[in-house]
Amino acid sequence: MSFKLSAITAFLLLIVCSSMTIPPVKNSTLYVSDYENVLGTSLEIKVAATSTDKAKVAEYKAMNEIERLNKILSGYDATSEFGRWKQTNNKAIKISPELFEVLNLFDKWRVQSNGALDASAEVVGKVWKDAAKRNAQPTAAELATAVTKVKQAHWQLNETDHTATHLDDAPLMLNSFVKSYIMSKACNVAMTIGGVTGVVLNIGGDIVVRGTHTEQIQVSNPKANAENDAPVSTLVINNKTVATSGNYRRGELVNGQWHSHIVDPRTGLPADKVLSATVVADNATDAGALATAFNVLIPNESKLLAATVPHAEYMLITSDGERFESKGWKALELPTAKPVTPKKENTFIADNTWDPHYELLINLELAEIQSIRVHRPYVAVWIVDKDKKPVRSIALWYNKTKFLDEISSWYDAYYSKLSESDRSVSSTTSATRPAGSYILKWDGKNDKGELVKRGLYTIMIEVAREHGTHQLMKQEMDFTKAPVPVTLRSNVEVAAASLDYVKKADGQ
């Protein structure tokens, strides 16, 4: 899991009018803010507090802590403390308590995971990246050399004087659980603010929940690619961390074959047996470490490793679709309603009704602003019919309810429905993905869940930035026939957008 920090902008996805109102939480209100490019991905922070000012202070403190720790631990920034230390050789260097703690944790997890977690896994990763560049599989000799290098000692710690000695030139990267480590520290700082009763921090799909607040967390379907696809599970979480790691969003294409970005440092091969691993644990670093290790280990090994961490629960989905759960996983899940089998006479679909085997993909890439702490723009995506009446609200992304009227066109169409919306507040845990690019889907249903008639519909994409610009993109499409793919013109807020009517993937 990378955690490169560049410009910070915002991300919050609220789907089909979910989470449009902010409910009270034991005399507190839940305040929501969102950014992009925090530790290389999106960030969502929810603060339950007795006032707006208290929430703002807690958010400010949390963001400062993330920046501070990134300047210590980032492996992508040569000027970070870790980056500078890596440039030393065979010299005992006094390091910060945080860097010492993280290096110590890597030593612990390297042993505890039987080598599945290793800061030098980057050695193997580099072999596969180089192979992708030349479009040829790495040789057995290249992989054997990489594995030998991984097995060497890379540093030596001195507990007495808090020094670390860098021993070799192996590429090192503090991934795996360091994002969770940073998130935990940031939540701790936010919770010290008087009047703050709860914090939920979601960075790239890993989520820390603290305080009295209880969060509903949706587990992303690793075989689905849209932000608004149905989850495979919904959890109810309080004072725990949820981490997900998987190979379905990042990797390398080598000679026409896709390989996971997660590698087994013990063998030099990509970890491709497990598609997704989601872990719930009391300790944030435990959750992050286990989620990554479970992608490398086989399910039986994962079960044994999980038993070494008290109260850890997990769900694994293998590449062949098999699902493994720990004994306590079901206790964390919301019960799912049993599907209602339609009566035979209701299964007929009229010729003029949307073909349920097809869907519209809405690809959206937000423009990146090179600045620190610039909130992501507020975005609304919805469908209107030929009479310009709203048919389906696809997604609503915004920071706080008081800014909803910034998205003026969506506001005019849908604000009257806010009081009727689902009051649940949920987050989504998933494998980390690069910031900025999102996929949404329209399955041809209206807001009531009914298939619409074939005909002319307009896809509306509205983007507004506080103290910035307002953009409204419209594209009419004729669904009486299969419409051709459309590329929309970019603007200062949207770097790219396209629409594609496609057949649903198998199993959806």
Side-chain angles (χ1 to χ4, degrees), residues 32-49:
V32 184
S33 290
D34 308 275
Y35 302 82
E36 287 286 4
N37 291 326
V38 181
L39 309 186
T41 185
S42 57
L43 177 149
E44 169 190 272
I45 183 169
K46 301 176 182 178
V47 180

Side-chain angles (χ1 to χ4, degrees), residues 382 384 388 409 458-462 472-476 486 488 499:
W382 73 104
V384 299
K388 307 308 176 188
S409 296
T458 301
I459 292 80
M460 311 286 290
I461 302 174
E462 186 174 18
L472 181 61
M473 308 168 77
K474 303 179 183 180
Q475 181 61 50
E476 186 177 84
V486 177
L488 284 69
L499 307 171

Side-chain angles (χ1 to χ4, degrees), residues 392-412:
R392 176 74 175 272
S393 181
I394 302 296
L396 174 66
W397 309 343
Y398 69 101
N399 288 332
K400 300 177 177 70
T401 32
K402 68 178 182 178
F403 296 135
L404 270 175
D405 55 359
E406 295 272 351
I407 318 172
S408 55
S409 296
W410 180 92
Y411 188 90
D412 290 343

Side-chain angles (χ1 to χ4, degrees), residues 406-444:
E406 295 272 351
I407 318 172
S408 55
S409 296
W410 180 92
Y411 188 90
D412 290 343
Y414 269 100
Y415 187 72
S416 63
K417 295 189 177 184
L418 284 177
S419 60
E420 305 168 9
S421 66
D422 180 5
R423 289 179 172 267
S424 67
V425 178
S426 63
S427 304
T428 300
T429 180
S430 65
T432 305
R433 50 145 177 76
S437 297
Y438 304 99
I439 299 175
L440 299 168
K441 290 181 179 179
W442 181 34
D443 57 4

Side-chain angles (χ1 to χ4, degrees), residues 206-474:
D206 289 348
I207 304 170
V208 177
V209 183
R210 293 282 167 78
T212 60
H213 178 76
T214 297
E215 184 78 355
Q216 286 185 24
I217 295 178
Q218 298 178 340
V219 182
S220 180
N221 183 350
K223 293 189 175 182
N225 60 352
E227 301 296 327
N228 59 337
D229 272 308
V232 294
S233 178
T234 300
L235 308 175
V236 180
I237 300 297
N238 173 255
N239 274 320
K240 291 180 182 290
T241 295
V242 182
T244 296
S245 184
N247 64 16
Y248 55 94
R249 279 186 163 158
R250 292 182 292 159
E252 303 292 342
L253 186 64
V254 182
N255 197 22
Q257 187 174 357
W258 181 259
H259 296 291
S260 170
H261 71 288
I262 302 172
V263 296
D264 187 339
R266 305 167 301 178
T267 65
L269 299 176
D272 58 3
K273 302 301 182 186
V274 173
L275 194 59
S276 175
T278 298
V279 175
V280 180
D282 296 338
N283 181 279
T285 55
D286 287 346
L290 289 175
T292 303
F294 288 176
N295 275 264
V296 176
L297 303 172
I298 62 175
N300 283 341
E301 291 175 319
S302 296
K303 182 178 180 180
L304 293 174
L305 181 57
T308 67
V309 179
H311 310 124
E313 305 295 346
Y314 63 87
M315 178 186 69
L316 310 177
I317 298 177
T318 65
S319 55
D320 58 7
E322 199 169 359
R323 180 164 164 169
F324 294 87
E325 298 175 357
S326 60
K327 283 186 177 180
W329 179 265
K330 289 296 184 188
L332 299 172
E333 278 190 313
L334 276 180
T336 55
K338 292 183 179 180
V340 178
T341 303
K343 295 180 180 179
K344 199 167 185 179
E345 61 267 26
N346 292 335
T347 59
F348 174 75
I349 298 174
D351 290 339
N352 66 341
T353 300
W354 179 289
D355 188 337
H357 299 102
Y358 283 80
E359 61 194 2
L360 181 70
L361 296 185
I362 304 168
N363 297 282
L364 187 65
E365 182 181 342
L366 301 179
E368 182 176 332
I369 295 181
Q370 296 296 331
S371 183
I372 299 299
R373 292 199 190 173
V374 177
H375 283 280
R376 69 165 304 286
Y378 317 135
V379 180
V381 180
W382 73 104
I383 313 295
V384 299
D385 62 19
K386 60 182 177 61
D387 298 320
K388 307 308 176 188
K389 293 181 179 179
V391 172
R392 176 74 175 272
S393 181
I394 302 296
L396 174 66
W397 309 343
Y398 69 101
N399 288 332
K400 300 177 177 70
T401 32
K402 68 178 182 178
F403 296 135
L404 270 175
D405 55 359
E406 295 272 351
I407 318 172
S408 55
S409 296
W410 180 92
Y411 188 90
D412 290 343
Y414 269 100
Y415 187 72
S416 63
K417 295 189 177 184
L418 284 177
S419 60
E420 305 168 9
S421 66
D422 180 5
R423 289 179 172 267
S424 67
V425 178
S426 63
S427 304
T428 300
T429 180
S430 65
T432 305
R433 50 145 177 76
S437 297
Y438 304 99
I439 299 175
L440 299 168
K441 290 181 179 179
W442 181 34
D443 57 4
K445 294 179 180 178
N446 60 23
D447 287 322
K448 295 180 181 179
E450 304 163 337
L451 286 172
V452 301
K453 292 182 178 180
R454 298 180 188 181
L456 287 174
Y457 293 90
T458 301
I459 292 80
M460 311 286 290
I461 302 174
E462 186 174 18
V463 184
R465 192 180 297 275
E466 186 186 4
H467 309 306
T469 69
H470 177 274
Q471 307 291 331
L472 181 61
M473 308 168 77
K474 303 179 183 180

